[in-house]
Amino acid sequence: MSRNPLLADTAARAARYVDAVRERSVVPSQDAIARLDALGGALPEDGEDPGALIALLDDVGSPATVASTGGRYFGFVTGGALPATVAANWLATAWDQNAGLFAQSPVASKVEEIAAAWLLDVLGLPSSSGVGFVTGATMANFTALAAARHWLLKRAGWNVEERGLFGAPEITVIVGGEVHVSLLKALALLGFGRMRVITVPADDQGRMRADALPALNDRTLVCIQAGNVNTGAFDPAATICAKAREANAWVHVDGAFGLWAAAAPQRAHLMNGFAEADSLATDCHKWLNVPYDSGLSFVRDAESLRAAMSIRAAYLSQGDNREPCQFTPEASRRARGIEVWAALRSLGRRGLAEMIESNCRLATRFAAGLRSAGFAVLNDVMLNQVMVSFGNAEKTRRVIAEVQNQGACWCGGTEWHGHTAMRISVSCWATTEEDVDRSLAAIVRIAGT
Ligand SMILES: *Cc1c(COP(=O)(O)O)cnc(C)c1O
């Protein structure tokens, strides 16, 4: 028996939560949410027993969670957490490693290096790319775009890290009509501005229209997308990357979830041409199914990533080992590469392909079930995203609200080219055919009343 019963007791509580999560309502009850006040009150003068407060947190907190890791949560684009990744996260948290520097955590640095090489392999990206382990796709976009900014301005004779953007040569930023809002936020944070982008129109599936691309030059940054958040569609990367290469422009890819199609042989054609891009961003807490918070930046010219992220201090010497903080905005941080390593090692190449493929098959099953019940599926379902209308906007909104309220499953709403739609994203490792059929039955029943 451990001399640390707190951790053993907490592990037992966590295991009970995970065992039960598949069967409970996906949303917490109003009562459970109201009971959260029990966690508050005045700050205690004297410290409380950790075992007691963990018991309180479990008793009051667990019922007020959204069961997003349980297999019937289809909101936004939300993965679960594979068992191996939760366990690896616990161990790494107990280690309490600072993953900023090799000297602070040789294991964190080494595991990142190993996972980075596996990722580049399984995603079909150049093996010499720089890889940054960041908090999510927003920061992955930010980090990769900072590398783009460095490279484009360096070739224009401007050192942006030293001199900033005031007086710098202008960079033209191109986005598609269906650009994700988080990419615009990243552009804003980098001083590119949300409004001064050139927006290229998108087609009926949300793909950037390559024929509408303006002339590119060596001061152009083209931001494309692998996986539209509503339809799952991919921009025509091969054509765009070829044009950009000719013009010496930089192509960045927001592939928050779509990038993982590269890991599944039957979907890999969707990623055709994307490996030619200069930088790519993705999430691990979405389709790789690791705990929050976890995203990745990939930059073909690793030196540009390092130059954009580097910090200078005499005590941060650079040896032969990977210094994780040279690839990310953060210095001190948790060892999030450990869960990525655990996911890849527990799945293997085949398991990863099957997890992605299975989610795509289940999305197709959803679409078929909804169509056969008489409802209109609004997108070509070729990945994991399904959009459905239940008639007019008012009815669709009512169905979404009622589905969310009843808790058999959870689906969000969206607007798509003038239609109000329910959006279903199948992104969780735990989702089964039975989960889809149960969810379909609930949705069809609600929509039929
Ligand atoms: C989810 C998503 C993002 C933002 O990711 P975060 O992990 O929430 O920062 C960016 N782009 C696309 C296409 C997404 O689906």
Side-chain angles (χ1 to χ4, degrees):
M1 195 52 199
S2 162
R3 276 182 294 158
N4 197 329
L6 175 65
L7 295 186
D9 171 63
T10 306
R13 288 178 179 278
R16 280 200 295 276
Y17 176 85
V18 170
D19 285 345
V21 74
R22 293 188 58 81
E23 288 313 315
R24 52 161 277 203
S25 164
V26 177
V27 285
S29 65
Q30 287 306 317
D31 181 50
I33 295 170
R35 285 182 61 219
L36 287 170
D37 286 339
L39 300 175
L43 173 67
E45 290 304 322
D46 297 311
E48 202 171 297
D49 171 55
L53 72 85
I54 289 294
L56 175 71
L57 190 61
D58 187 23
D59 295 345
V60 175
S62 291
T65 56
V66 170
S68 51
T69 200
R72 290 193 312 283
Y73 185 85
F74 307 107
F76 308 95
V77 183
T78 304
L82 289 157
T85 68
V86 177
N89 171 292
W90 290 349
L91 190 57
T93 300
W95 290 345
D96 190 30
Q97 299 291 281
N98 185 339
L101 292 170
F102 181 87
Q104 292 171 302
S105 182
V107 61
S109 162
K110 193 69 197 169
V111 167
E112 259 191 22
E113 198 170 28
I114 294 166
W118 288 351
L119 288 159
L120 294 172
D121 173 16
V122 81
L123 295 172
L125 301 175
S127 61
S128 55
S129 304
V131 185
F133 289 73
V134 296
T135 49
T138 303
M139 281 312 288
N141 281 323
F142 171 86
T143 304
L145 290 169
R149 188 179 67 165
H150 169 86
W151 186 81
L152 288 163
L153 285 174
K154 181 178 165 196
R155 282 178 332 140
W158 188 268
N159 183 332
V160 67
E161 284 76 31
E162 301 299 330
R163 301 174 72 182
L165 279 177
F166 297 106
E170 285 226 7
I171 300 294
T172 303
V173 181
I174 295 175
V175 301
E178 280 286 332
V179 62
H180 194 271
V181 285
S182 73
L183 191 120
L184 295 175
K185 176 172 175 178
L187 289 173
L189 288 169
L190 285 160
F192 282 129
R194 279 182 231 267
M195 300 271 297
R196 56 180 287 294
V197 295
I198 293 178
T199 305
V200 177
D203 69 11
D204 64 334
Q205 294 300 309
R207 291 174 290 238
M208 183 190 276
R209 274 180 40 207
D211 63 307
L213 205 62
L216 309 178
N217 63 32
D218 61 0
R219 305 232 178 123
T220 316
L221 167 56
V222 188
C223 301
I224 62 173
Q225 196 161 259
N228 175 283
V229 83
N230 284 311
T231 62
F234 292 68
D235 289 348
T239 312
I240 295 168
C241 288
K243 283 188 186 180
R245 182 104 333 150
E246 225 165 81
N248 239 332
W250 181 288
V251 178
H252 171 71
V253 179
D254 177 1
F257 61 99
L259 215 62
W260 297 98
Q266 286 161 276
R267 308 285 156 175
H269 64 277
L270 296 167
M271 278 292 293
N272 210 359
F274 281 94
E276 296 302 311
D278 298 284
S279 61
L280 306 96
T282 196
D283 262 320
C284 299
H285 54 226
K286 286 180 180 165
W287 226 353
L288 187 60
N289 279 263
V290 306
Y292 297 95
D293 40 25
S294 189
L296 296 162
S297 314
F298 301 104
V299 179
R300 175 183 284 268
D301 176 29
E303 211 30 62
S304 289
L305 175 59
R306 257 214 289 264
M309 294 297 130
S310 72
I311 38 178
R312 303 224 186 99
Y315 66 91
L316 301 178
S317 68
Q318 173 85 47
D320 292 338
N321 296 307
R322 177 182 171 90
E323 300 295 351
C325 71
Q326 306 283 20
F327 299 88
T328 62
E330 302 89 348
S332 299
R333 63 174 170 84
R334 71 185 194 90
R336 61 174 63 84
I338 303 239
E339 298 129 26
V340 176
W341 172 88
L344 294 171
R345 193 152 183 141
S346 74
L347 291 167
R349 195 185 301 274
R350 224 193 319 263
L352 175 60
E354 178 49 27
M355 180 173 77
I356 301 301
E357 188 56 36
S358 160
N359 282 173
C360 295
R361 270 199 310 268
L362 294 172
T364 304
R365 188 180 184 91
F366 250 122
L370 291 163
R371 275 199 203 96
S372 74
F375 304 116
V377 172
L378 303 181
N379 63 315
D380 297 341
V381 180
M382 40 60 210
L383 200 69
N384 63 331
Q385 306 289 112
V386 182
M387 266 190 304
V388 57
S389 161
F390 298 97
N392 60 34
E394 193 196 340
K395 165 131 193 236
T396 301
R397 272 190 218 110
R398 185 182 64 72
V399 174
I400 295 167
E402 199 47 33
V403 166
Q404 293 180 356
N405 187 39
Q406 292 195 11
C409 64
W410 202 97
C411 306
T414 190
E415 295 292 321
W416 181 253
H417 295 190
H419 296 277
T420 300
M422 175 191 267
R423 197 170 64 134
I424 299 167
S425 175
V426 189
S427 317
C428 180
W429 71 278
T431 304
T432 62
E433 284 188 358
E434 196 213 329
D435 286 319
V436 171
D437 293 347
R438 254 170 90 173
S439 304
L440 265 173
I443 295 168
V444 169
R445 178 176 43 73
I446 289 165
T449 59

